[in-house]
Amino acid sequence: MTDKAKQWMRQSLTFKLLSMAVVIVLLIIPTVIISILIEERSNTADEATEEVSQKWGHAQVITGPMLVVPFREARQAGGSEAIPRTRYAYFLPESLAINGDIAPSLRYRGIYEVTVYTADLSLSGSFSPPSFADWEVEPEAIHWSEAAVIAGIRDMRGINEAITLEWNGEAHEFAAGIEANGVIASGVSARVDAIQGGTFAFDLSLNGSRSLQMVPAGKVTTATLASSWPSPKFDGAFLPDEREVGDEGFSARWHVLDLNRPYPQRWRDTTSGVFESAFGVALVLPVDHYRKALRASRYAFIVITLTLLTFFLIEVRQKKRAHPFQYILVGLMLCLFYTLLLSISEHVSFNAAYAIAGAATIAAISFYMQSVYHARVLSILTAAVLVVLYLFIYLLLQLEDYALLTGSIGLFIALCLTMYLTRNVQWYLQE
């Protein structure tokens, strides 16, 4: 390479811009790797949650109770008598009231926190007399002696105590398993005298993790839940009609009618949409640092580009020169911020981790720039720009709904400022 070419490479703004563009493109690779690392750590946390849930109890869904009455059916098919078979009729309660208290706690698997709970629930209500009138079922084909009240529990391992059903004032012990499992896969059942319908009540103490949901089985379903957990997430098919959330916990009340759900009060064999109507609450951790770290990493391109653009403007206006390798070192330090943020946030709060990782990154780059440019003023200027950038990204992380609007305005201002600072640069004279 000739001396003239070397001189052009050292002084040409075009070459500097091309070098900076290549560096930015290359730095996309470590930012992608960091995003993958964050997702892997998040998956590891989910695996830890699953491991604890397998021993304590998974997210619970309470279905029912329902009244199930078997009957025999035999029809003519193709000129010959079909083999008699047992079918099941399902009847839902006229009213269902659920009252519960959720006692949350944290379990740890290594460095990972898992939210678990013990729910103490009381269920009560009434059933009308089951009617087969419009189903063309012969009275002698109905097996009233095998009628049972069933209640669905998603994870049976979470049951803490024996469950006693009070049916019309008489005690019946619930047994594990459901004979008619066409609708509910797992749960408990108790034989009852169902021909006249009846009132019911039972208590349920249940371990679970992450969330608790209930299926609105009653023609009128009311549910009230209370807990000391300060950050609930109400989810499912219905939001509570009334709720109070504070630092001391929450309380919520639901009121759901049969007209609000996609299945009837009675059916034979099976129906659809039962679990789609479930509602309840999830006990979410106040800060999901993996989600925030992943969102922060998606702004890495903006931070890297604006930081290197700052260095370029310093070179243009202050007649300073930096080698492309020095650009690479600064870019890698900017990428390292996200691994620092991820690793520190696993041990302290996300806000504290962001402040520590940001301060360390800004200090390292500022001191490095002072050694490169030999000017304390430029080092302070670089630090100020980085502080503004990291505060801007932090603001975007807080404003989820307005992140796009805020980010667009911020980039517009940055571009306008760049245009203003470079308005008098004689680009061709720099070649």
Side-chain angles (χ1 to χ4, degrees):
M1 182 180 298
T2 64
D3 293 338
K4 185 177 181 180
K6 294 179 180 180
Q7 183 70 16
W8 177 82
M9 292 176 61
R10 284 194 297 267
Q11 298 182 353
S12 173
L13 292 181
T14 301
F15 178 76
K16 182 65 66 174
L17 284 171
L18 291 175
S19 301
M20 188 175 68
V22 171
V23 169
I24 292 174
V25 171
L26 290 177
L27 289 174
I28 292 177
I29 298 175
T31 59
V32 171
I33 295 175
I34 291 170
S35 297
I36 295 173
L37 174 62
I38 296 173
E39 292 178 348
E40 288 179 351
R41 298 294 289 182
S42 179
N43 292 335
T44 302
D46 291 339
E47 292 172 0
T49 300
E50 179 64 22
E51 183 179 348
V52 172
S53 299
Q54 287 178 354
K55 297 175 175 61
W56 180 268
H58 286 92
Q60 295 285 10
V61 179
I62 309 301
T63 309
M66 302 178 182
L67 185 59
V68 181
V69 182
F71 63 95
R72 300 284 287 178
E73 181 183 70
R75 293 183 178 178
Q76 295 290 334
S80 61
E81 186 176 343
I83 299 175
R85 64 189 180 114
T86 299
R87 300 180 64 186
Y88 295 91
Y90 295 81
F91 301 88
L92 301 185
E94 287 294 304
S95 63
L96 172 61
I98 306 173
N99 295 286
D101 183 76
I102 303 174
S105 60
L106 293 176
R107 294 293 185 271
Y108 294 88
R109 181 65 69 226
I111 63 173
Y112 302 105
E113 289 184 342
V114 181
T115 308
V116 299
Y117 62 82
T118 297
D120 293 317
L121 306 173
S122 296
L123 294 87
S124 60
S126 63
F127 286 92
S128 296
S131 174
F132 288 78
D134 55 350
W135 283 344
E136 299 181 357
V137 177
E138 298 295 332
E140 60 272 13
I142 303 173
H143 296 181
W144 291 109
S145 62
E146 299 178 17
V149 171
I150 65 173
I153 301 173
R154 172 173 286 181
D155 191 348
M156 300 286 286
R157 291 170 298 184
I159 299 176
N160 291 322
E161 301 172 355
I163 310 172
T164 301
L165 170 68
E166 184 178 312
W167 178 262
N168 288 332
E170 296 183 358
H172 300 263
E173 288 294 325
F174 271 116
I178 298 174
E179 183 178 348
N181 57 2
V183 177
I184 300 174
S186 65
V188 294
S189 61
R191 293 284 176 87
V192 296
D193 182 4
I195 192 169
Q196 298 298 326
T199 60
F200 67 89
F202 63 92
D203 296 329
L204 181 61
S205 179
L206 200 62
N207 288 341
S209 59
R210 291 176 288 189
S211 69
L212 172 66
Q213 291 196 329
M214 301 156 288
V215 172
K219 189 171 186 179
V220 177
T221 300
T222 58
T224 302
L225 295 178
S227 175
S228 59
W229 190 257
S231 56
K233 176 186 177 183
F234 301 106
D235 57 7
F238 303 98
L239 294 176
D241 297 281
E242 302 173 9
R243 64 178 181 177
E244 293 183 4
V245 181
D247 295 337
E248 301 300 321
F250 73 88
S251 62
R253 184 180 183 277
W254 291 261
H255 182 82
V256 183
L257 304 177
D258 62 329
L259 299 176
N260 303 135
R261 59 183 203 219
Y263 50 90
Q265 275 292 105
R266 62 189 184 117
W267 64 84
R268 288 171 289 182
D269 294 331
T270 187
T271 190
S272 60
V274 173
F275 296 101
E276 295 174 5
S277 65
F279 62 88
V281 62
L283 307 182
V284 298
L285 291 171
V287 176
D288 184 355
H289 55 274
Y290 292 112
R291 181 175 62 86
K292 285 195 172 183
L294 185 60
R295 287 189 62 217
S297 69
R298 291 171 179 166
Y299 297 113
F301 178 79
I302 296 176
V303 175
I304 292 172
T305 301
L306 292 181
T307 303
L308 296 187
L309 180 60
T310 300
F311 292 176
F312 176 76
L313 293 177
I314 290 174
E315 292 192 27
V316 171
R317 295 185 63 85
Q318 301 296 326
K319 307 300 183 181
K320 302 289 184 179
R321 291 292 180 264
H323 194 274
F325 180 73
Q326 293 170 319
Y327 277 63
I328 294 175
L329 289 179
V330 172
L332 291 175
M333 181 60 69
L334 294 171
C335 293
L336 188 59
F337 163 80
Y338 299 98
T339 59
L340 287 173
L341 175 63
L342 172 63
S343 58
I344 298 174
S345 66
E346 291 182 332
H347 302 278
V348 300
S349 68
F350 179 84
N351 291 343
Y354 193 94
I356 294 171
T361 303
I362 292 171
I365 293 177
S366 299
F367 284 121
Y368 182 68
M369 294 312 298
Q370 182 174 351
S371 64
V372 171
Y373 292 136
H374 303 290
R376 178 170 297 181
V377 174
L378 296 181
S379 175
I380 295 174
L381 176 63
T382 301
V385 171
L386 288 173
V387 168
V388 171
L389 279 178
Y390 281 121
L391 287 177
F392 176 65
I393 299 301
Y394 182 79
L395 178 63
L396 293 182
L397 294 178
Q398 307 308 310
L399 303 175
E400 294 190 18
D401 295 335
Y402 298 96
L404 180 59
L405 175 62
T406 306
S408 300
I409 294 174
L411 291 177
F412 176 79
I413 294 173
L415 184 57
C416 289
L417 182 60
T418 302
M419 295 169 67
Y420 175 78
L421 294 175
T422 58
R423 68 191 185 283
N424 296 322
V425 175
Q426 301 298 320
W427 297 98
Y428 288 109
L429 296 179
Q430 303 289 333
E431 299 301 324

